[in-house]
C-alpha cells in the first residue's frame, strides 16, 4: 500500500543526540532523516526556493522511494489573487522536478484572507496546474470554505481537476485540557481553528496532523486516524501523513507512535527505515 510518513522539516538541530546521533552535522541531517522516515513535508520552500544545486543535493542525499511534498512559495500564494502567479508556479515546478522520483505531491496553502469570493481566480490557477509533472493538493483557511454548500462545491471543483485536498487537523492543540497560556502550544494555536474536513478529492490524501506535545493527548485522535487511513488505503488512495508539534523535539516520536498504531491494527504499511536502525523508543510503550 502507498503510505508515506514524516514530519514538516528535517533540519532541526534539537534532534541531535536523540532522533539524530550525537555530534551529527547539519550537512548530514537530510540523509539521516530520509533513513528514518519515508517523506517530508518540506515547509522550507514556503519561505525560500532552493537553487538548482540544493535540489540536486536533496536528490543524491535521499534513498529511492523517499518523497518531498513541497509547499508552494509564500510569494505565489499569499499576495492576493493567485491566477497571476501561474507562471511563477510553473517555474517552481520545473525547478523542483529535478528531484525526479523523490518529488511527491506539492501543496498550495491559501491564507485566511483568501475566501470563496475568489473561487473563479482559484479555478483558473488550478486548471493551469501542470498535473502531468506533479500532483497538487490545496489547503484552504478561510472559515467560509468549510460551510455548506461551499465546502461541497469546492470538493467537486477539486475532483473535476484531479486536485487533492489537504486535511489539516489541529484539534489536539485546541481541544486539550492544557492551559491556553501553555507556551508549548502558543505557536500552533496561531493556526486557524478550523473544522476537520474529511474529504478525498483525488487519488491521494495529504494530512497535516498538529500533535500535542503530550503523547497521551494524541491517543484518541491518532487511533481514529489509524482507522480512517486504513479505510482509504483499502480504497487504493495514497496517503501522505505529516506530524507537526509545538515542541519539535517530539514530532518524530509522535509520528513513530502513529506507525505503531497502524501496525498494531494490522494495516499493511511499509516499515519505517528508522525501525531497522534503532529500537522502538521506550516512551512509545505508553499505551501498550
Amino acid at each position: 500500500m502507498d503510505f508515506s510518513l514524516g514530519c514538516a522539516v528535517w533540519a532541526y538541530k534539537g534532534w541531535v543526540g536523540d532522533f539524530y546521533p550525537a555530534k551529527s552535522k547539519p550537512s548530514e541531517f537530510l540523509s539521516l532523516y530520509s533513513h528514518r522516515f519515508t517523506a517530508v513535508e518540506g515547509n522550507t520552500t514556503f519561505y525560500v526556493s532552493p537553487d538548482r544545486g540544493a535540489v540536486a543535493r536533496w536528490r543524491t542525499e535521499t534513498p529511492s522511494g523517499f518523497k518531498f511534498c513541497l509547499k508552494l512559495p509564500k510569494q505565489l500564494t499569499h499576495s492576493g489573487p493567485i491566477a497571476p502567479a501561474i507562471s511563477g508556479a510553473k517555474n517552481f515546478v520545473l525547478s523542483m522536478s529535478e528531484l525526479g522520483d523523490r518529488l511527491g505531491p506539492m501543496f498550495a496553502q491559501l491564507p485566511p484572507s483568501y475566501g470563496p469570493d475568489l473561487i473563479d481566480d482559484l479555478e483558473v490557477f488550478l486548471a493551469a496546474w501542470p498535473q502531468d509533472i506533479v500532483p497538487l493538493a490545496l489547503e484552504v483557511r478561510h472559515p467560509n470554505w468549510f460551510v455548506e454548500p461551499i465546502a461541497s462545491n469546492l470538493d467537486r471543483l477539486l475532483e473535476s481537476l484531479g486536485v487533492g485536498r489537504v486535511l489539516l487537523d489541529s484539534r489536539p492543540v485546541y481541544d486539550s485540557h492544557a492551559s491556553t497560556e501553555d507556551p508549548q502550544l502558543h505557536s500552533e494555536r496561531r493556526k486557524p481553528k478550523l473544522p476537520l474536513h474529511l474529504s478525498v478529492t483525488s487519488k491521494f490524501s495529504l494530512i497535516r496532523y498538529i500533535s500535542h506535545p503530550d503523547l497521551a493527548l494524541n491517543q484518541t485522535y491518532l487511533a481514529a486516524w489509524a482507522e480512517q487511513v486504513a479505510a482509504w488505503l483499502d480504497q487504493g488512495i495514497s496517503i501522505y501523513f505529516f506530524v507537526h508539534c509545538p515542541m519539535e523535539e517530539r514530532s518524530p516520536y509522535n509520528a513513530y507512535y502513529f506507525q505503531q498504531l497502524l501496525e498494531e491494527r494490522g494495516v499493511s504499511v511499509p516499515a519505517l527505515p528508522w525501525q531497522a536502525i534503532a529500537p522502538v523508543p521506550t516512551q512509545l510503550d505508553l499505551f501498550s
Side-chain angles (χ1 to χ4, degrees), residues 72-273:
L72 294 191
K74 184 177 183 179
Q75 66 192 49
L76 300 177
T77 58
H78 283 58
S79 299
I82 60 175
I86 291 171
S87 177
K90 289 182 176 179
N91 288 335
F92 178 73
V93 168
L94 288 176
S95 297
M96 297 304 103
S97 66
E98 296 296 322
L99 286 169
D101 65 354
R102 273 68 161 178
L103 182 59
M106 291 184 177
F107 71 102
Q109 179 191 90
L110 300 179
S113 59
Y114 193 103
D117 58 307
L118 290 168
I119 185 68
D120 292 338
D121 171 76
L122 177 62
E123 183 172 2
V124 170
F125 179 88
L126 296 180
W129 181 262
Q131 290 278 6
D132 57 324
I133 300 178
V134 60
L136 180 71
L138 178 73
E139 179 181 336
V140 291
R141 291 190 164 190
H142 191 293
N144 287 351
W145 287 115
F146 298 86
V147 178
E148 294 294 352
I150 296 172
S152 294
N153 290 339
L154 177 59
D155 284 345
R156 283 191 288 271
L157 172 62
L158 299 181
E159 288 172 3
S160 70
L161 298 173
V163 176
R165 184 160 185 167
V166 174
L167 307 184
L168 175 67
D169 187 1
S170 61
R171 294 174 299 170
V173 295
Y174 279 108
D175 295 352
S176 74
H177 298 296
S179 167
T180 56
E181 300 303 319
D182 187 338
Q184 297 176 357
L185 305 182
H186 178 70
S187 63
E188 294 300 345
R189 280 184 168 150
R190 288 183 297 177
K191 286 184 169 63
K193 185 178 181 181
L194 298 168
L196 174 62
H197 185 76
L198 286 175
S199 177
V200 175
T201 59
S202 186
K203 297 179 180 178
F204 71 95
S205 182
L206 197 157
I207 300 156
R208 307 179 71 219
Y209 176 78
I210 313 302
S211 65
H212 194 283
D214 184 344
L215 181 59
L217 295 178
N218 293 287
Q219 184 189 19
T220 300
Y221 304 106
L222 288 178
W225 271 117
E227 297 297 329
Q228 183 62 75
V229 166
W232 283 338
L233 289 173
D234 282 342
Q235 297 170 26
I237 298 167
S238 299
I239 302 294
Y240 299 86
F241 198 100
F242 297 109
V243 177
H244 297 234
C245 187
M247 291 183 64
E248 199 64 63
E249 291 85 351
R250 302 186 184 180
S251 295
Y253 297 102
N254 289 345
Y256 202 130
Y257 175 63
F258 186 57
Q259 174 81 11
Q260 284 186 313
L261 286 180
L262 291 168
E263 293 177 355
E264 289 169 3
R265 284 159 173 72
V267 184
S268 181
V269 293
L272 286 179

